[in-house]
Amino acid sequence: MSKALSAPAASLAPIPVRDILPWLVFGGLFCLLAIYFVGAEQGATALLPGHFMHELVHDGRHLLAFPCH
Ligand SMILES: [Zn+2]
């Protein structure tokens, strides 16, 4: 009484590049913004006043070897 059950093969439809492109652009811009805040958000290039953003990403800055102080 051993019948092998075979599930029907799932057919995966390819995702068109046109559908992925906006998400790729969004992800790329988000990554660039994250790199900016970690690597350059201080001093003369700071967009936000104060030291909040610098202190928030300070450990990440040292972890990624960005010059800090
Ligand atoms: Zn530092």
Side-chain angles (χ1 to χ4, degrees):
M1 182 101 195
S2 64
K3 284 188 170 181
L5 296 176
S6 63
S11 63
L12 299 176
I15 301 173
V17 174
R18 181 177 291 182
D19 291 346
I20 297 176
L21 191 59
W23 291 103
L24 286 176
V25 171
F26 174 74
L29 290 175
F30 187 80
C31 287
L32 286 176
L33 190 65
I35 289 172
Y36 167 77
F37 276 113
V38 171
E41 172 68 16
Q42 73 175 30
T45 61
L47 293 177
L48 303 174
H51 295 281
F52 172 75
M53 187 55 67
H54 178 83
E55 296 301 329
L56 184 67
V57 298
H58 191 248
D59 291 340
R61 178 184 304 260
H62 283 276
L63 180 68
L64 297 173
F66 281 103
C68 184
H69 49 84

